[in-house]
Each structure stands twice: as C-alpha cells, then as structure tokens.
Amino acid sequence: MAEAHPVGFQWVVEAKARGAKIIHVDPRFTRTSALADLYVPMRAGGDVAFLGGVVNYILSNNKDFREYVVAYTNAATIVSDEFLDTEDLDGLFSGYDQDRRVYDPQSWQYAGHEPEGARQHDHEVQRETASPLQHESHGPGVGGETERDETLQHPNCVYQILRRHFSRYTPEIVERVTGVPRDKFLAVCEAWTANSGRERTTALVYSVGWTQHSVGVQYIRTGAIIQLLLGNMGRPGGGILALRGHASIQGSTDVPTLFNLLPGYLPMPHHANHETLRNWIDAIRNPGQKGFWGNAEAFAVSLLKAYWGDRATAENDFGYGYMPRLTGDHGTYQQVFNMIDGKVKGYFLVGQNPAVGSAHGRAQRLGMANLDWLVVRDLYMIESATFWKDGPEVATGEIAPERCRTEVFFLPAASHVEKEGTFTQTQRLLQWREKAVDPPGECRSDLWFFYHLGKRIKQRLASSTLPRDRAVLDLAWEYPTHGELDEPSAEAVLREINGYEVETGRPLSGFTELRADGSTVGGCWIYSGVYADGVNQANRRRPGDEQSWVAPEWGWAWPMNRRILYNRASADPRGRPWSERKAYVWWDPERAEWTGHDVPDFEKNKDPAYRPVPGTSGPEGLAGDDAFIMQGDGKGWLYAPDGLIDGPLPTHYEPAESIVRNPLYGQQDNPTRNIYDRPDNPLNPSPPDPDTSVFPFVFTTSRLTEHHTAGGMSRTLAYLSELQPEMFIEVSPELARERGLTHLGWAHVVTARAVVEGRVLVTDRLAPLRVEGRTVHQIWLPYHWGTTGLTTGDSANDLFGVTLDPNVLIQESKVGTCDIRAGRRPAGRASLAYVAEYRKRAGLPAEPAPRSNQGREGEEAGA
Amino acid sequence: MSGNSLFGPLDPAPDAGYADPPPRMGFFTDTSVCIGCKACEVACKEWNLVPEDGLNLLGLSYDNTGSLSANTWRHVAFVEQPLPARPAEPRVSPMGAGEREPRFLGMPAFDLPGRAGSDGGNGAGGDGPVRERTDFRWLMSSDVCKHCTHAACLDVCPTGALFRTEFGTVVVQEDICNGCGYCIPACPYGVIDQRAGDGRAWKCTLCYDRISDGLMPACAQACPTQSIQYGPLDDLRAAAARRVETLNANGVPEARLYGHDPDDGVGGDGAFFLLLDEPEVYGLPPDPVVTTRDLPDMWRKAGLAALAMAAAAAAAFLGGAR
Amino acid sequence: MTSVERRPRRGPGGDRVMVPRAEFRSYYGRPILKRPTWRYDIPAYLFAGGVAGGSALLAAGGDLTGRPALRRAGRLAALGAIGAGTYFLIHDLGRPGRFHHMLRVAKPTSPMSVGTWILAAFGPAAGLAAAGELAGYLPRRGALGLARRALPPAGRLAGLGAAAAAPALATYTGVLLADTAMPSWHEAYPQLPFVFAGSALASGAGVGLLAAPPEQAGPARRMAVAGAALELAAAHRVETRLGLLSEPYRTGKAGRLLRTGRALTAAGVAGALLGRRSRVLSALSGAALLTASLATRFGIFEGGIASAVDPKYVVVPQRERRAARGPKTSTDT
Ligand SMILES: Nc1nc2c(c(=O)[nH]1)N[C@H]1C(S)=C(S)[C@@H](COP(=O)(O)OP(=O)(O)OC[C@H]3O[C@@H](n4cnc5c(=O)[nH]c(N)nc54)[C@H](O)[C@@H]3O)O[C@H]1N2
Ligand SMILES: Nc1nc2c(c(=O)[nH]1)N[C@H]1C(S)=C(S)[C@@H](COP(=O)(O)OP(=O)(O)OC[C@H]3O[C@@H](n4cnc5c(=O)[nH]c(N)nc54)[C@H](O)[C@@H]3O)O[C@H]1N2
Ligand code: SF4
Ligand code: SF4
Ligand code: SF4
Ligand code: SF4
Ligand code: SF4
Ligand SMILES: [Mo]
C-alpha cells in the first residue's frame, strides 16, 4: 500500500501512531513491510490457504462474533442436502461437469430453493460474460425466505459447512502451502481476532496482489468470510478496502468501461437470456427476492431514458431493442486472440497501453499488428501506438514495419488537469475537479472526442433508413458546449447521471425517486443524488476540521452519500451500538428512526423489530435486522449459494503455473478458470505433470512507487525516470548464489512465452521459503518497462500467458513459473530460438509462426 | 565577529541583523514514518525547476539518486539492514490489551554485494559463509540542507551570495554567486554543490519563495506521511522530543534525534531528524562541527606563521654579510 | 580543540605511524562530504601566491640591503606570480565573468574574501614595484619621461608595501584550506600556514637563486634554509600528528607529491648550501625549491580531497570525538 498508494498510506501511518498494529502479508518485503509491525512473507498464490487457516482458527477456537454472525450473516441458513463439499470430492464441489469444466450450482442452493433453481444456471455463459462481476454491488439472485437454525447446530447450516470445509486449513497446512512459519501465522490470527469484536474492529486492505489470480475472487471471498465472522463489516474501522488502481478505476466500474456491465452494475443484456425488457429486468431483480434490487425496473428504465430520451417510450420498451447484446466472451483477452485470428478489423485504445500493461505482451502486439486500423488516444506516444516499428517483434523479424497492415491513428488526449469531471475512488467517493489549464495543441478531452465523434456519426447516418442505424440516430446526444473548442459540459453529463424528472427537469434527490414508467431519466442509479437540488455535491470541499469525523461534506459517496456500506450492522440486532467506542449508526426509539454519524444504510423508519409478512419481496421483505440490504436474503454471505463460477466456498488451488502439487486436494488448480488453449498461449508444466524442472522458480510482478503501470505516464518524465532508471529483477542472495547472479549485473528470466532481461538487484527483501519440504525461490519484477520513453527496457508482461479468473476474467499476472540465468538474453531472432529450446525441453509444442500480421495474404515476412 | 557568532547556541536571524524577525522556521524529518516514496524529491524538483540528475541505476537498494547535490535538494536514503534478533517485548498498546508485540519479525538476512566486508560497507560487515538470516529492517530517510545555525557555507562565501533569511534559513542568491566553490568543501554535511554546465552553487532554499508567502515548502507539502514536518523550530523541537519519548517507550529504543541540539557543533540544525540508527548509516556525519568555530585560532596561527615568515626573511638579509 | 587524538603507535624505526584499520559504518561507502569542485587552478594559485609572497620579501630585502639583482628578480617574479595566481583564481570560478562579485563584501569569516582584499592590496603594489624596475625602458621625455622619473621611488614604496602584505598573502591560503570541512585540511589548521609560509620562503629563495649572481644570493640561501626548515617541520607534523587524518597525506597521490616535495626541498637546500660558487648549481637548487613548493601545494591539496572522498575520515574521528565526550552527547540517546 505504501508502494502503490502512498497518499492513502498516510492514514495507516496515522492509525499506527494511535496504536493500531499493522500486518503486511506479501511475497516480498516492500515499503509497506518497512512500516508494518509484523511482516509475513508468503508464497505468491497461497492466500486462500493462509486466510482459510485464519477461518479455521476462528471457528475452532470459537473466536467468531457470535451475536453478529447469527443475526447478520447466513451462518444459520440451511443449505441443500444435495450439496457436496471439496472435502467429499477431493477438491471439487458437487455439480461439476468434467467436459465443459463448469458447475451446475443447483446443489449449492439453500434448502428449499433448489426447485427455484429451475431458472437457468448456465455457468458456461456466465463465465464467458463474467456475470459474477455484474454482482459487484449486490448479491446475485436468491429467494428471500430461507430455513434457518440459529443455534448453528444443524449439520447443513452454513456455519457447520464452513467448519468442515476449513477444518483442514491447520497452521501446519498453512506452513506447508504458503511457507509462512507457524508462529507468524498464529501471531496474525491472534492479533486479528483480539482486535475484533464489540469494542474493536480490524480493516482488511487488499489490491491487485489478491485479484490478479486464477482464484482472485475467492481470495477476496475468504477475506470477506473472516470479516463477517469477526463482525468487522458495516462498522467503523472495519471493512474490506479494495485499493483501486487508476485514479478513477472505481468510477470506470460504476459507469463502466467493462464489456458486460451497464452503469450501476446493471448487466449488459445477453442475446439469448435477455430477449425482452421483461426478461432482462427480471434477471436483475429476481422476483421474490428481498432487498433493493426489487426496484431494478426503475433503474433500468431510467437508464434507457437517458440513452434515448424522448425516443424511449413505453411502447418501444424504452428502446430496449436498441441495446447491444452479448453473444459470448467479449473480454479484452478474447479480443486479442480474435485479432490474432483476424476476426477484428478495428480497435479503439483509449487510455490503455496493452502492449506493455496486459498479460502476454507478445500476443497483444501481434494481435494489434493484425488489424486494419487502430485508434490510440493517449497523452504520450506509447508502445501500443509504436509497436509496429519498435516492438520486440520487429527485432525478431515477426513484424516488418513496412508491411505491417495496421493503420495507426494517434490522437493526443487531454490529461486530467486539462479537463473537468469527477474521480471516484476506493471509498466510492466522487470528487469533482476543475480544469487547471487548457490542453495543449491538438489534445482534446475524451469527453470531447466521443461527443463530437457521436455527432459526426449521427450526421453521416442522418439519411440512413436502415433499422440498425436507428439506435444511433435516436440517441439523446445533446449537451451544452462551451469555449473555443466546443467542450461539452461535464456538469451537464453529471446531471444526467444523477437523473431528473422528464417533465420539469428537476434533478432527483436520490435513486428512490427513479420511476419505471419513463417519467425519470437516470444515467447511473447508484450515483443518483450527486446532483441533488441542482448542486454539484461532488464539488464539496469542506475541511475536515469544520465538520464531523465522518466528513459527509467532502465530496459525495454513492449510494446516497453513505460513507460506510451496510452500516446497519454497526448496531446490534435491536438497534443499539455494539459499544460506545464503535457507535456509528443506531435506532432512536424516541423518534422511531435510524440516526448516527453517517447516513444510515437502511430504511429510515424501519423498526429493528420489524418482521415482514412471509412472501413479501423487495425492500419491504427485509426484516429490521437484515443489515445487508442489497442481498437477496438480507444477510452477509459466508457461503455463496449462487453467483460464483468456481464454488460457493473458497478453496485453495495452486496457480495455473506452480512448482508444487496442491497439498490439500487431488484437484491441482481452479478447474473452472478460463483457459485459452492455443499454441500461442502455452503454459509452463505444473504438477501433476512430472517434469517441472525446466521452470523451477516462482515469479511475481508488481509496481514501483516511482513508476506508473505500463509506464506511459512515468517513463516519459525525467523526474520519475531518474528515480528508477532501468528495468531490474529482484532476487534473494540465496538464489543469486545458486544461479551465479551478481548485484547490478544482467540476468534474464524465461518462460514458455518469452525471455526478458534486466539488471539484477540482490536483496534480503526476498527470502526463499520452505514449501512442501522444498526450497521455493521467488523472483520479483516490476512491469513498468517497454520500448518508448526516457528509460526503456523489457516488459515483464511478455513472460505471462493468458489464464483468467472465471468470475471476472482478470488475468493471472501475479504468479507464474520461470527460469532465471545470468547474463543478457539473446537478441532478435535468437531470442525466439532460445525460448523454443526451453519449450522443447519442457515438453511443450512449438509455437506456430504468427499468422498474418505481416501482410494481407499471409505473406511470410522476415522469415 | 563575536565568538558567539561562530559557535554555540544562537538565534541566527537577529544575529544577522534582522530587527524583528519571524520565528525561525525549519524541518523536523521523522524518518520512522518515511515510506521512501520520494514525493519530496520530485516535488522539490517540480517547484524549484531543478534539473534531472541523470538516469543511473545505482542499486543502493531503491536509491538511484545517491546523495544531495546541486540537482537534488531532497534525497531519500534506503538502507537494508539485518538486525540482531531481539526478544519481543510485551507492550500495552492503546488499542490492544497488552498483547505481545512482535517487532520486525521480518526476513532473515545475510551478506549482500556491496555490504559484505568491513571497509566502507554498509551494515554489520563480515564476509564469509552464509550466515543465519536474522531480523531485517528497511530504513528510509529524506535528507536535506540542514540550514545550520552556524552555516559554514554562508560564513565562507566571499561574495555574499549565501545569506541568512529572516526565517533563519540559508539561501544562495543565484544572481550573485560566481561559482567560487568555497561553500562546497565548507559544508560539514556535504550538501551544497556546483551545478555542472552552470557553474553556480545550488542547494535547498527551504522554499524561501513559498514560505515568504506563508506556504509550506514543496517537499513537506508533498510528504504523505508527515515524515517531513515544517514549522517554527521551537515547536518542532518540542514535537520531536515527544515523538522520541513515545517511540522509546513503545519498544523502539534506537530512536534518537540528530541535529536538534543547539549545543552541538553547528549550533543546532534548522532541519533536524529522528533516526533509527547511527547518523553515518544514513550518510550523515556523526558529529559535525562548523569549521569557522576554529577560525579565530586559524587566523592567529596564520598571523604567527606570517610573522615567522617575515622574521625569517629579515634574518636572511640581516644574518649574513654576503 | 577536541581533535582526533589517536595515540600513534611508534614503530621500532622511530616515527612510522600505524593507525589501526578503521571499523566504521557508512552509507554504501559513499562520501559524506562533497569534494571541492576546485581544479588544478587552486593548488597552482596556492603556489603562485607563495612565490609572489616569497619574491616580494626577497625584493624588499634586496632593495633595502642593496642587492639590485635580488630586488629586480623578486619584483618581477612577484608580479608574474601574482598575475598568474589571479588568472588561476578567476579561471577556477564557475562564473568567471562575475569575479568582481568578490568585491561586493569584505568578510573576515571568509578567508577567500580576506584573500581577495590581500590580493587587492598586494597586486597593485607588486605591479608598481615591477613597473619601477622597468622604468628604465621608458623614454626620457614627455609624460612617460615623468613616469620614468617618478616610478623608481614609487616602486620602492610599493615594493615595501607588497613585502608588508606578502606574509599575509603567503599564509592566508593555509586558512583558506583549513577553514573547510575537509577533515585533513581542517585538522591541520595549526600547521598549514607554517607549511605555506615555509614553502613560500623557499620558493622566494628559489627565485633569488635562479636569478641572482652568487655574490648577491647569500640571503636567498639563508631564506631557503629557513623556509625549508619551517616547511619540513610543519609538514612533518601534518603527516604524522593528525592520527587517522594524517593518512591521506602519506598515501596515494598526496603522499607521492609530498614525498617528492620533501626530496626536492632537501636537494634544493643542499644545492643552495653547497653551490655557493656555482651559478648553475644555484640555479638548479632554485628550480628544485620552486618545484618542491609546487609539489607540496598539490600534495596538501590532494590530501584534503582524499580525506573527503573516503567517509572513513569523517566517521571515525567524529565518532571518537563523540565517544570522548562521554555517553550523554547531543546526538546520542
Ligand atoms: N506508484 C504507483 N502507484 C500505483 C500504480 C502504479 O503503477 N504505480 N498503479 C495503480 C493501479 S492501476 C493499481 S491496480 C494499484 C495496485 O496496487 P497494489 O496491488 O498495491 O500494487 P502491486 O504492486 O501490483 O501489488 C501489491 C503487492 O502484491 C504482492 N503480491 C503478489 N502476489 C501476491 C500474492 O499471491 N499474495 C499476496 N498476498 N500478495 C501478492 C506483490 O509482491 C506486491 O507487493 O496501484 C495503483 N497505484
Ligand atoms: N504483470 C502485471 N501486469 C499488470 C498488472 C500487474 O500487477 N502485473 N497490473 C494490471 C493493472 S491493475 C492495470 S490497471 C493495468 C494498467 O495497464 P494500462 O492501463 O494498459 O497501462 P497505463 O500505463 O496505466 O495506461 C494508461 C494510459 O492512459 C493514458 N492516459 C492518462 N490519462 C488519460 C486521459 O485522460 N485520456 C486518455 N485517452 N489517456 C490517458 C496514459 O498516458 C497511459 O498511457 O496493468 C495491468 N497489468
Ligand atoms: S498519484 Fe494520485 S492517486 Fe496515486 S497516490 Fe498519489 S495522489 Fe493518490
Ligand atoms: S548544511 Fe551545509 S549547505 Fe546547508 S546550511 Fe549547513 S553548511 Fe550550509
Ligand atoms: S560558490 Fe557561490 S555561494 Fe558558494 S561560496 Fe562561492 S559565491 Fe558563495
Ligand atoms: S524546502 Fe523547498 S527547496 Fe528545500 S528541499 Fe524542500 S522543496 Fe526543495
Ligand atoms: S520524506 Fe515523505 S515524501 Fe519523502 S520519501 Fe519519506 S514519506 Fe515520501
Ligand atoms: Mo489497476
């Protein structure tokens, strides 16, 4: 966190100054570890085992916050007796389909819900469309009524299932799998549990060290289970903080740039599953379900109204027919392979540098070299715009600049200080920023670009009578512009996102005002309220010392300016604060309302004692102690009966590339992960494959404080480049000795995909671990380097292949296996032969020559 | 040239002739909370338009700057250090109920290139076979001009380019400096240096332009963890004393202040530090003394030598016939 | 003064000093101090200043005791040396065009400022004195004729003035080096002015030996002996009495230069004493003395730099100083 979120880390430092204890779990000792009270080194890819060990510790020592757990989680809920656990099936859950590598989650359901499961659970489609991602802000569909045993004794209640599932995750196993010494592991367990309960809360902070794995989602699920068991959710000082990446990456999932999402986590319609508006809306609100997704129709219709304005009417289903539909996996990695296969003609690259930043850099570049046209909008001339003339494949002769077919259009973009708008950060806080200076020269904001592009396309199509063009022609595409450049007003866009009454134009005060009858427009329901009273609430900057410690008047947080989600859980079931110290939101019986420091995340006047009439759905279906109001059953999920592709409970699987056999189960790795099994995407052999000796080391990649992601914004700046002027590779002194590597000398790292070189940094910050009785060496590389900028170097991402988490399609770029050798790598064509030799030794098939990036008719260039 | 002006405790601004100066301003750099983000280095360069210092991979842990220089006015040092294992001390933290506090249960360590051996190496020295890895820590510290009470650079400057501001800080006037270079060997901390191609001497100005406008120096403003604290020196000294006390009480006995003491060899630094090891480990002199402390005696000795010279010459002419 | 007082171990052969190998920590062995940016100009200036000072004394002595050859050689050498010195001084500036900024202030705390003013006094005087020497070449008539007549007495006055400033010119440079944080310069502050005074005398004597006929060179010989004695005695202290900080003067480039200087000085003195009758031998001794002085200045210069480059010379003596003060010190807790 200190490395990649130094500004946010100030709060950790402040907490430490006030006595908080900081624990850092990471494969290598970083700037964060330097300030931590306890640093725990571990093997990359071992976190489910580690956290599973913590769950086991909590359960077997009865350290859970029982009152909280019974009231607010699904611990008491009874699960179908058809459910079989990994304990029974050696690492698989019931319902696994060997051929399609997917589960039928029918048997995972709550008892009594199995028949409802009649609705299609096609996990193959869900995997292709990363549908679990669509549940980012809410639980997936589950009926409201559940069978419960609040004594937690029923053998099939979630609590007992959890106990059994995690019973193997003993300190011994944690040590064997992760290399974390027992005493250190127990120190973490003790600290975490001792600091949780009525009086205390513990926060869990993670970022992409957790997400970028083929089991990334289950990492976070395990963290969530711990935090629920210890009563750390919905309470001040608790929670799970996902440190987001790019300045508004949270914003770009809320109002998404993702292929499968629409604003506010409405799913992108699927051509088969969501044929009609009704199908689509029902799939979101899941009739019968409790909670606020019951109002999904109002959110969805208001969004359609924002898109098509007056042309969206009840008669035409508010333009639902205009909506594009998913037909399969349109994720970025599938697109890349499609490009290589010649299935994609043109590509817009806006604020992204996949030639360096995305896994399997070679595939990225070869794919882009096989387009008809490519539009790159960026601040700098990045590798993704220059790969055709200076990428590594030019050196190897695989791309011949004079014959590369791709026509690249580089359009300079305005930077964040050259335009106005909001950032949404980790805490869901929207913060408005003003434009500081005009963009130089031809640079334009992305808003400007897309607005005017839309205008021009509409103009081009104006005379079209084709039905397919109606979707574009009918778009409501008018925003006020200002200045010489005709810059669209970002505030006008924010107002539309907030939503307003069609009749009067009055901005809505919040999403409860959204209507399903077409009388309101709302661009993103969760953001509704950000423009309440016609005031840009995101632009509030009242200093902290002029308001309460919750600081509600700094920016605006979705939803409804709530700073802590599910904060109903900060009070006990009867509505009283768990403790004086941790009082946050509580029930005021006098005034018969919820009150406190934050905006209560609960219906204001719902008595804690309220119990719905059986069969009630939507918000009214939530009881007065159903704190998790977006969940179908109002409970925090220790066990996920639906919505995950790879299982209802986290299970330790080895990374797709590993040098050890899974010590826990016969099932080695995540059986449902996305595999792109192609000769140009080989995987290094892993157990049970007998021979893993060709790639005997583990490597992981991450960030340096001094650089930014793919380097476009840091390797171009002298003041940053001088601070980390060269690509390097970190190794432990032990590995250095074993491989004859010298400090500041050269070394190269090899995988089945590529060979990458850098200068060696020998450091104590990396230590060999004992895993399964053997020594595991881990190598670390920053992934910031590429071929352009003030400092250039090899890209660590070339080392990775493409393997994805099945739930959200994130790449496994935090762990792989490799070899490392002293000296520089072979250059040019020889490097191909070098890698080919490794592949041969590892028993992998040879890679076919890249297909057609040289010229149209598969011309063989540079051969 | 009163004795006091050259050595000992002193409030420099009045001494320099300011009638009613504002309180002396300075820095307290608390390295125990430095996260080595180098925001200070970059902010300083951005604000002061200091040129780039060269793209050199030095491999001194994460330090690729090396030291303060004409083109680096804040420098963040990184020290990777094996530590003798220390028994965990029980400690009652304000948040926790007297748990045992594991400290630096970090990683085992042994010799690294550039650290082995006992001469010039950093760390506890000793080459030879693989040692058992012990506790480990990573120290980071942001260095800067000390704005000495008795600033040798200023004392020796023959042009008056270096001057004492009303805030008690020491600043070079770039339109006066003629690059004589005298300030450079005079500084007991190795701070000020000549800029190649420019010829003049440059160093931290304590953001004279910013603080004159009531702003914070750029480096302090950028520091996310308040490792760099800016303010009236008296307040900083008090805060620093409290901080050391807290750390010492909380099982960090090695925390100590550096440069805070008006009785030290330079009359106390305007920019002082909290360190977790001996100063030299961070590249700081252990006991700097302003060279001009001895200046009166130097002049006396020179006078004697001059007399001796004159006498010898006279004797040479008077002492013989031919 | 609490300097490093390492008890030197005396070897059987007398005064060979062995300092125990230093145990110390540092930041990757990097220097703590900045080495001076001064190039060869500065030691060359030190030398030139010494020659000028020594020559001016020689000239005045020659003048007052009726040895015109000494007077003439001394005056011309003084002017030439001070001219060269001034050139070196300006040439070494990062911004030579701003040389005159030196004249903005007069600062007793800045030996360079003091030196500038000494130079400002000495230079014109030396110039006038030399002009007096050259007055004979002027035409007899006209305005220049007036000068021809006025210059010798003015030159005489100026020559005496230059001689009065000469000891200051020759010795302030010791303070110039010592008034820095360079450990081996600073710690040598009691000796450096004497080294330079001696060296200046010897080099002035060298000028005399080179230029004057044997019958006038007596004072130069005596000056050579006195200067050499002063220089060698003081330099010996520098090389042996500063504990660890003497080491840079005995090793490396500095050591070589200083040894050369010592040998040349000895040879020069011997030659001066033995070659009373030989013009050639005298001249050779003079040259040896001048070269010795040059080597000594460069040696002293290099020694100080060496002490800045290795952090050992900063850390070890300062830690000892701190330890000597006892445990409760300002930087310790
Ligand atoms: N300076 C700087 N700041 C940045 C960025 C940048 O490039 N530079 N990028 C921004 C972006 S886009 C993002 S997404 C965030 C990312 O922020 P972070 O996630 O904090 O960044 P990383 O450095 O990629 O990874 C964090 C740590 O994960 C560790 N790690 C690797 N594998 C594992 C594992 O299996 N288990 C565990 N427990 N740890 C593991 C790595 O050693 C690394 O120290 O940072 C943002 N901030
Ligand atoms: N091996 C490995 N790979 C990783 C990761 C890892 O940890 N390990 N981390 C992954 C993560 S979390 C991320 S987020 C990605 C990042 O990967 P990318 O997003 O591909 O890389 P960036 O360099 O951040 O690219 C952003 C580009 O946007 C440009 N830009 C900035 N502002 C604007 C703007 O306003 N408009 C436009 N049009 N352009 C702008 C910048 O100049 C920059 O070139 O890398 C991923 N790849
Ligand atoms: S770069 Fe921006 S977002 Fe990242 S830590 Fe710094 S201030 Fe925060
Ligand atoms: S630290 Fe050096 S440069 Fe800074 S004021 Fe002191 S003597 Fe001058
Ligand atoms: S270099 Fe400039 S600032 Fe330094 S002493 Fe000379 S004139 Fe003064
Ligand atoms: S005070 Fe100003 S000049 Fe000095 S280091 Fe900080 S930013 Fe740079
Ligand atoms: S002093 Fe502050 S800004 Fe500088 S590196 Fe340390 S934490 Fe970062
Ligand atoms: Mo990211």
Side-chain angles (χ1 to χ4, degrees), chain A residues 208 212 246 350-354 357 377-380 382 413-414 419 446 701 703 708-713 783 797 800 811 813-814:
Chain A
V208 299
Q212 291 168 8
H246 287 92
V350 183
Q352 202 183 345
N353 189 5
R377 280 185 52 74
D378 208 281
L379 313 181
Y380 292 96
I382 49 173
K419 60 195 180 194
D446 298 311
T701 61
R703 289 160 172 75
H708 192 256
T709 50
M713 292 194 290
Y783 81 101
N797 263 320
F800 286 106
Q811 77 285 351
S813 50
K814 284 299 176 199

Side-chain angles (χ1 to χ4, degrees), chain A residues 191-303:
Chain A
W192 203 339
T193 50
N195 197 54
S196 305
R198 278 179 185 274
E199 293 287 342
R200 297 183 182 285
T201 50
T202 299
L204 185 58
V205 181
Y206 77 90
S207 189
V208 299
W210 267 15
T211 53
Q212 291 168 8
H213 292 275
S214 54
V215 285
V217 167
Q218 296 289 7
Y219 272 25
I220 296 137
R221 284 275 309 132
T222 328
I225 290 170
I226 296 171
Q227 290 296 65
L228 282 170
L229 286 174
L230 297 179
N232 284 327
M233 299 303 290
R235 301 179 59 203
I240 300 182
L241 297 157
L243 295 177
R244 304 306 313 255
H246 287 92
S248 194
I249 207 80
Q250 178 67 48
S252 81
T253 38
D254 298 340
V255 182
T257 49
L258 299 159
F259 78 93
N260 60 348
L261 278 185
L262 292 168
Y265 302 92
L266 299 175
M268 191 76 184
H270 186 273
H271 77 104
N273 296 355
H274 309 130
E275 223 169 312
T276 65
L277 177 64
R278 185 63 29 212
N279 295 149
W280 181 52
I281 286 170
D282 283 351
I284 309 170
R285 68 181 180 152
N286 197 15
Q289 175 177 319
K290 303 202 237 180
F292 278 79
W293 280 105
N295 295 336
E297 185 167 3
F299 311 155
V301 169
S302 297
L303 175 65

Side-chain angles (χ1 to χ4, degrees), chain A residues 200 719 722 730 764-765, chain B residues 50 53 62 95 107 133:
Chain A
R200 297 183 182 285
Y719 290 162
E722 65 180 336
E730 286 186 0
D764 280 344
R765 291 180 291 100
Chain B
V50 181
D53 216 357
Y62 277 1
M95 293 279 289
M107 299 203 305
R133 283 208 172 197

Side-chain angles (χ1 to χ4, degrees), chain A residues 6 10 21 31 35 37 39 184 200 706 719 722-725 730 733-734 737 743 763-767, chain B residues 35-36 38 41 45 50 53 56 59 62 64 80 95 99 102 105-107 109-110 115 130 133 136 224:
Chain A
Q10 69 183 290
K21 186 190 292 192
R31 286 176 248 229
L35 256 72
D37 295 280
Y39 165 67
K184 251 175 242 183
R200 297 183 182 285
E706 295 88 340
Y719 290 162
E722 65 180 336
L723 300 177
Q724 290 291 1
E730 286 186 0
E734 289 87 346
R737 192 166 290 123
H743 191 62
T763 172
D764 280 344
R765 291 180 291 100
L766 280 169
Chain B
I35 54 173
K38 307 183 190 171
E41 278 195 37
K45 292 202 163 194
V50 181
D53 216 357
N56 308 311
Y62 277 1
N64 293 307
E80 299 185 10
M95 293 279 289
E99 319 109 51
L105 279 179
M107 299 203 305
F110 55 92
R115 198 168 66 197
V130 176
R133 283 208 172 197
F136 174 84

Side-chain angles (χ1 to χ4, degrees), chain B residues 157-159 161-162 172 177-183 201:
Chain B
C157 175
T159 63
L162 273 155
V172 193
C177 171
N178 67 8
C180 76
Y182 201 9
C183 49

Side-chain angles (χ1 to χ4, degrees), chain A residues 779-803:
Chain A
I779 293 165
W780 181 82
L781 307 98
Y783 81 101
H784 302 297
W785 271 271
T787 51
T788 68
L790 298 174
T791 145
T792 59
D794 283 0
S795 279
N797 263 320
D798 292 6
L799 294 173
F800 286 106
V802 177
T803 302

